[in-house]
Amino acid sequence: MNDESQNKMGSPTPEELRRQVERTRDELGQTVEALAGKADVKTQAKEKSAAARKQAAEKTAELKEQAAEKTAAAKEQATEKATAVKEQAAEKSAELKEQAAEKTAAVKEQAAAATAQIRAKTAQAAQVVKDRTPDPVQEKSAQAATQVRESAARAGQFAVDRTPDPLLERADRVAKAARANRTPLLAGGAVLVAFLLIRRGRGRSK
């Protein structure tokens, strides 16, 4: 009786102990699962954070690469444009130089042709005057030309003796320029002298 009363009073039965153990085991399992869940959330958060940082780094690198490519392309385009502008300027300058050279050559050619024509006409006029001038008049013209040259030589020597050196140098330059064109001048002078002599001869004949 005493044993049965003790079981009823406070000592749990084996069945009750087994239930308590199972209940405690279930509670422990739930606690472990809850802790594991919390740990898994932290791990997922860390993984998401790492993935976000990786994506940000990849995106930053991609943007930097694109910016570098665009900068290189812009520099290349600028260099190509500058080269094209230089080439166009060089071509235009060469074209202008060629046109200027052609115009200069044309002007020189025209001047040479005009000079040749003037010389030819002067020579023709001198020949015509010579053909139409009687021999005595030609002789007088030659004598007059000789006298003129002699007088000019004497006057020139006198001027040289009385002229300072700087003026002599300038006169020498002028004389060189005159010698360069002396053929037309002499021809014209001869024509003028012959014309004057003819007029003088006709005046006397009257």
Side-chain angles (χ1 to χ4, degrees):
M1 298 239 357
N2 290 331
D3 293 336
E4 291 179 359
S5 61
Q6 271 184 342
N7 289 336
K8 289 180 181 180
M9 293 279 306
S11 298
T13 62
E15 184 65 25
E16 290 175 350
L17 290 173
R18 187 170 54 254
R19 290 177 181 173
Q20 288 179 1
V21 170
E22 288 179 357
R23 187 168 53 253
T24 302
R25 185 182 298 169
D26 292 337
E27 291 176 355
L28 289 174
Q30 292 176 1
T31 302
V32 170
E33 288 179 358
L35 293 174
K38 290 181 179 180
D40 187 54
V41 169
K42 290 181 179 180
T43 302
Q44 290 178 358
K46 289 181 180 180
E47 290 177 353
K48 289 181 179 181
S49 178
R53 285 196 297 270
K54 184 178 179 180
Q55 289 179 356
E58 291 176 352
K59 191 67 177 177
T60 301
E62 183 180 357
L63 292 174
K64 287 182 179 179
E65 185 177 357
Q66 290 178 357
E69 290 177 355
K70 290 181 179 180
T71 302
K75 288 182 179 179
E76 185 176 359
Q77 290 178 356
T79 303
E80 291 177 354
K81 288 182 179 179
T83 303
V85 170
K86 288 182 179 179
E87 290 178 354
Q88 291 177 356
E91 291 177 357
K92 191 66 176 178
S93 177
E95 183 179 354
L96 292 175
K97 287 182 180 178
E98 185 177 358
Q99 291 177 356
E102 290 177 355
K103 288 182 179 179
T104 302
V107 170
K108 287 182 178 179
E109 186 176 355
Q110 291 175 359
T115 302
Q117 290 178 358
I118 291 172
R119 288 178 179 175
K121 290 181 179 180
T122 303
Q124 290 175 358
Q127 188 63 38
V128 169
V129 171
K130 184 177 179 181
D131 294 340
R132 293 183 179 182
T133 303
D135 292 338
V137 175
Q138 290 184 11
E139 292 177 359
K140 290 182 179 180
S141 176
Q143 292 175 359
T146 302
Q147 292 177 359
V148 169
R149 284 197 296 269
E150 291 176 354
S151 299
R154 287 194 298 271
Q157 186 62 41
F158 180 78
V160 168
D161 295 337
R162 297 294 182 88
T163 304
D165 292 339
L167 293 178
L168 288 175
E169 293 177 357
R170 185 178 299 176
D172 184 59
R173 290 195 295 270
V174 174
K176 289 180 180 179
R179 282 196 297 272
N181 297 319
R182 67 181 179 178
T183 300
L185 292 175
L186 290 175
V191 171
L192 179 61
V193 170
F195 178 73
L196 292 175
L197 289 174
I198 291 171
R199 288 190 61 183
R200 185 176 179 182
R202 289 180 178 176
R204 288 180 178 179
S205 64
K206 291 180 179 180

